[in-house]
PDB file of all heavy atoms in Angstrom:
ATOM      1  N   THR A 362     -90.043 -62.133  -9.584  1.00 78.00           N
ATOM      2  CA  THR A 362     -89.488 -60.788  -9.402  1.00 78.00           C
ATOM      3  C   THR A 362     -88.140 -60.614 -10.092  1.00 78.00           C
ATOM      4  O   THR A 362     -87.891 -59.604 -10.750  1.00 78.00           O
ATOM      5  CB  THR A 362     -89.362 -60.458  -7.898  1.00 78.00           C
ATOM      6  OG1 THR A 362     -90.668 -60.450  -7.310  1.00 78.00           O
ATOM      7  CG2 THR A 362     -88.719 -59.093  -7.691  1.00 78.00           C
ATOM      8  N   LYS A 363     -87.240 -61.610  -9.959  1.00 73.00           N
ATOM      9  CA  LYS A 363     -85.913 -61.474 -10.578  1.00 73.00           C
ATOM     10  C   LYS A 363     -86.026 -61.403 -12.105  1.00 73.00           C
ATOM     11  O   LYS A 363     -85.357 -60.600 -12.757  1.00 73.00           O
ATOM     12  CB  LYS A 363     -84.997 -62.628 -10.169  1.00 73.00           C
ATOM     13  CG  LYS A 363     -84.441 -62.521  -8.747  1.00 73.00           C
ATOM     14  CD  LYS A 363     -83.371 -63.572  -8.520  1.00 73.00           C
ATOM     15  CE  LYS A 363     -82.739 -63.419  -7.129  1.00 73.00           C
ATOM     16  NZ  LYS A 363     -83.623 -63.846  -6.055  1.00 73.00           N
ATOM     17  N   THR A 364     -86.888 -62.251 -12.680  1.00 81.00           N
ATOM     18  CA  THR A 364     -87.071 -62.221 -14.134  1.00 81.00           C
ATOM     19  C   THR A 364     -87.730 -60.917 -14.563  1.00 81.00           C
ATOM     20  O   THR A 364     -87.345 -60.307 -15.566  1.00 81.00           O
ATOM     21  CB  THR A 364     -87.934 -63.415 -14.596  1.00 81.00           C
ATOM     22  OG1 THR A 364     -87.344 -64.620 -14.119  1.00 81.00           O
ATOM     23  CG2 THR A 364     -88.023 -63.458 -16.106  1.00 81.00           C
ATOM     24  N   GLY A 365     -88.742 -60.478 -13.796  1.00 85.00           N
ATOM     25  CA  GLY A 365     -89.391 -59.199 -14.094  1.00 85.00           C
ATOM     26  C   GLY A 365     -88.404 -58.050 -14.012  1.00 85.00           C
ATOM     27  O   GLY A 365     -88.418 -57.135 -14.847  1.00 85.00           O
ATOM     28  N   SER A 366     -87.518 -58.105 -13.022  1.00 80.00           N
ATOM     29  CA  SER A 366     -86.492 -57.067 -12.884  1.00 80.00           C
ATOM     30  C   SER A 366     -85.552 -57.073 -14.084  1.00 80.00           C
ATOM     31  O   SER A 366     -85.150 -56.021 -14.579  1.00 80.00           O
ATOM     32  CB  SER A 366     -85.688 -57.290 -11.600  1.00 80.00           C
ATOM     33  OG  SER A 366     -86.521 -57.210 -10.474  1.00 80.00           O
ATOM     34  N   ALA A 367     -85.200 -58.266 -14.558  1.00 81.00           N
ATOM     35  CA  ALA A 367     -84.322 -58.367 -15.730  1.00 81.00           C
ATOM     36  C   ALA A 367     -84.986 -57.747 -16.953  1.00 81.00           C
ATOM     37  O   ALA A 367     -84.338 -57.049 -17.744  1.00 81.00           O
ATOM     38  CB  ALA A 367     -83.972 -59.827 -15.999  1.00 81.00           C
ATOM     39  N   LEU A 368     -86.292 -57.985 -17.117  1.00 88.00           N
ATOM     40  CA  LEU A 368     -87.009 -57.387 -18.250  1.00 88.00           C
ATOM     41  C   LEU A 368     -87.054 -55.868 -18.129  1.00 88.00           C
ATOM     42  O   LEU A 368     -86.906 -55.154 -19.124  1.00 88.00           O
ATOM     43  CB  LEU A 368     -88.430 -57.959 -18.331  1.00 88.00           C
ATOM     44  CG  LEU A 368     -88.531 -59.436 -18.730  1.00 88.00           C
ATOM     45  CD1 LEU A 368     -89.951 -59.939 -18.559  1.00 88.00           C
ATOM     46  CD2 LEU A 368     -88.060 -59.641 -20.169  1.00 88.00           C
ATOM     47  N   LEU A 369     -87.247 -55.370 -16.908  1.00 88.00           N
ATOM     48  CA  LEU A 369     -87.224 -53.917 -16.706  1.00 88.00           C
ATOM     49  C   LEU A 369     -85.844 -53.345 -17.007  1.00 88.00           C
ATOM     50  O   LEU A 369     -85.717 -52.259 -17.575  1.00 88.00           O
ATOM     51  CB  LEU A 369     -87.645 -53.573 -15.270  1.00 88.00           C
ATOM     52  CG  LEU A 369     -89.147 -53.669 -14.974  1.00 88.00           C
ATOM     53  CD1 LEU A 369     -89.398 -53.547 -13.474  1.00 88.00           C
ATOM     54  CD2 LEU A 369     -89.918 -52.591 -15.726  1.00 88.00           C
ATOM     55  N   ILE A 370     -84.811 -54.084 -16.614  1.00 83.00           N
ATOM     56  CA  ILE A 370     -83.450 -53.631 -16.925  1.00 83.00           C
ATOM     57  C   ILE A 370     -83.234 -53.619 -18.437  1.00 83.00           C
ATOM     58  O   ILE A 370     -82.595 -52.717 -18.986  1.00 83.00           O
ATOM     59  CB  ILE A 370     -82.409 -54.547 -16.227  1.00 83.00           C
ATOM     60  CG1 ILE A 370     -82.466 -54.351 -14.704  1.00 83.00           C
ATOM     61  CG2 ILE A 370     -81.008 -54.251 -16.744  1.00 83.00           C
ATOM     62  CD1 ILE A 370     -82.095 -52.964 -14.223  1.00 83.00           C
ATOM     63  N   MET A 371     -83.791 -54.609 -19.147  1.00 87.00           N
ATOM     64  CA  MET A 371     -83.689 -54.618 -20.609  1.00 87.00           C
ATOM     65  C   MET A 371     -84.330 -53.376 -21.213  1.00 87.00           C
ATOM     66  O   MET A 371     -83.898 -52.872 -22.252  1.00 87.00           O
ATOM     67  CB  MET A 371     -84.354 -55.874 -21.179  1.00 87.00           C
ATOM     68  CG  MET A 371     -83.579 -57.150 -20.958  1.00 87.00           C
ATOM     69  SD  MET A 371     -84.425 -58.603 -21.630  1.00 87.00           S
ATOM     70  CE  MET A 371     -84.162 -58.347 -23.382  1.00 87.00           C
ATOM     71  N   ALA A 372     -85.362 -52.866 -20.528  1.00 91.00           N
ATOM     72  CA  ALA A 372     -86.056 -51.672 -21.025  1.00 91.00           C
ATOM     73  C   ALA A 372     -85.162 -50.442 -21.019  1.00 91.00           C
ATOM     74  O   ALA A 372     -85.452 -49.455 -21.708  1.00 91.00           O
ATOM     75  CB  ALA A 372     -87.312 -51.415 -20.195  1.00 91.00           C
ATOM     76  N   ILE A 373     -84.065 -50.503 -20.275  1.00 86.00           N
ATOM     77  CA  ILE A 373     -83.117 -49.389 -20.279  1.00 86.00           C
ATOM     78  C   ILE A 373     -82.532 -49.188 -21.673  1.00 86.00           C
ATOM     79  O   ILE A 373     -81.992 -48.131 -22.000  1.00 86.00           O
ATOM     80  CB  ILE A 373     -82.009 -49.624 -19.223  1.00 86.00           C
ATOM     81  CG1 ILE A 373     -82.634 -49.638 -17.818  1.00 86.00           C
ATOM     82  CG2 ILE A 373     -80.931 -48.553 -19.278  1.00 86.00           C
ATOM     83  CD1 ILE A 373     -81.660 -49.983 -16.702  1.00 86.00           C
ATOM     84  N   SER A 374     -82.682 -50.201 -22.529  1.00 88.00           N
ATOM     85  CA  SER A 374     -82.206 -50.090 -23.913  1.00 88.00           C
ATOM     86  C   SER A 374     -82.907 -48.965 -24.664  1.00 88.00           C
ATOM     87  O   SER A 374     -82.468 -48.575 -25.753  1.00 88.00           O
ATOM     88  CB  SER A 374     -82.415 -51.408 -24.659  1.00 88.00           C
ATOM     89  OG  SER A 374     -83.793 -51.746 -24.704  1.00 88.00           O
TER      90      SER A 374
END
Side-chain angles (χ1 to χ4, degrees):
T362 297
K363 284 190 176 73
T364 305
S366 299
L368 291 171
L369 284 170
I370 292 296
M371 287 179 73
I373 296 175
S374 61

